[in-house]
């Protein structure tokens, strides 16, 4: 197995609202690969797909019965400490709920969380210990 | 906001077992950025972090009360149809549970799902409609 995540798929209740949130609200670009109920967004080195939650459960052959904390978070890392609050404000303007305002973190950085329209959690973080690659991703090669 | 996912963090119950599953079992490489209870794996263009689930809930200020389907799946796309079964078998050998064996999909590809030690769902997929970038990621630029 190549050590790679190709796509993260988020199950969504209102597909068009979710698509608008990520494209118009947050600025992700939809690729031409989608159809009427799936969209693939270019999220840097990885794809972010939005798909109706009931169909996602069905595809994975799981009962669509989940509730509460999902045990998964997505992180958007920024290059400057002050960008954390800016990105959280942008997400809030687009309809996200701020679940943890920007604040200093015990590990020496600065971060906050928002929940998207379907409750998927995003951390917005500035981590002074990380280096960025030329393409903007975090350099985890060492 | 730059349109990028930097890191996907999976909450795990047994940190060392989860780390072994992903590093020894699946072949992901741990970066030096981790500590005694967090590991950052290089997952291609994006980072895959493993962190105790209760601490992840606490960091996001959420009650750690989730159950059932999480509404999130990770996908590992392969270049050849026959690789789907091979990767699922590797995951099973490493301790994963096969939740959907490799099979032809309605959208023209071939895929299956495994659940990791904590129930996080991975789809292994061959999608003939996708093109790969030189670095091995899916090309969603068009």
């Amino acid at each position: 197995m190549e050590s790679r995540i190709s796509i993260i798929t988020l199950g969504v209740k209102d597909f068009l609202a979710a698509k608008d949130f990520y494209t118009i609200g947050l600025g992700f670009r939809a690729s031409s690969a989608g159809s009427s109920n799936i969209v693939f967004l270019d999220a840097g080195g990885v794809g972010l797909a939005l798909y109706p939650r009931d169909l996602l459960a069905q595809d994975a052959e799981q009962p669509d019965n989940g509730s509460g904390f999902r045990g998964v978070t997505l992180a958007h890392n920024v290059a400057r400490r002050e960008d954390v609050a800016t990105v959280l404000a942008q997400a809030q303007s687009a309809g996200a709920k701020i679940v943890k305002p920007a604040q200093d973190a015990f590990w020496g950085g600065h971060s906050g969380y928002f929940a998207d329209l379907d409750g998927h959690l995003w951390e917005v973080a500035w981590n002074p210990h990380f280096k960025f690659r030329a393409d903007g991703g975090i350099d985890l090669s060492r």
Side-chain angles (χ1 to χ4, degrees), chain A:
Chain A
M1 177 178 186
E2 223 185 310
S3 50
R4 173 181 297 281
I5 297 171
S6 310
I7 298 171
I8 298 126
T9 302
L10 302 180
V12 300
K13 190 169 180 191
D14 183 333
F15 174 72
L16 292 177
K19 186 177 174 180
D20 281 354
F21 172 78
Y22 280 99
T23 55
I24 300 170
L26 298 190
F28 285 79
R29 207 181 41 72
S31 88
S32 61
S35 71
S36 63
N37 65 4
I38 192 162
V39 63
F40 297 97
L41 307 168
D42 191 345
V46 67
L48 173 62
L50 308 174
Y51 192 52
R53 183 184 160 113
D54 54 344
L55 298 180
L56 184 61
Q58 193 179 306
D59 193 53
E61 299 188 347
Q62 304 295 309
D64 183 11
N65 61 355
S67 65
F69 181 59
R70 294 163 195 171
V72 179
T73 60
L74 304 178
H76 176 74
N77 278 61
V78 294
R80 299 177 307 175
R81 186 181 185 284
E82 59 267 33
D83 294 340
V84 174
T86 309
V87 170
L88 287 171
Q90 181 186 355
Q92 188 171 31
S93 295
K97 184 181 168 192
I98 303 300
V99 297
K100 183 179 181 179
Q103 55 198 265
D104 289 338
F106 70 90
W107 40 267
H110 192 73
S111 82
Y113 281 84
F114 69 84
D116 78 3
L117 304 188
D118 292 278
H120 296 295
L121 294 170
W122 282 75
E123 183 186 19
V124 181
W126 170 72
N127 184 329
H129 310 301
F130 281 141
K131 291 186 174 168
F132 287 88
R133 299 186 308 258
D135 70 3
I138 292 174
D139 183 2
L140 294 173
S141 66
R142 274 169 293 191

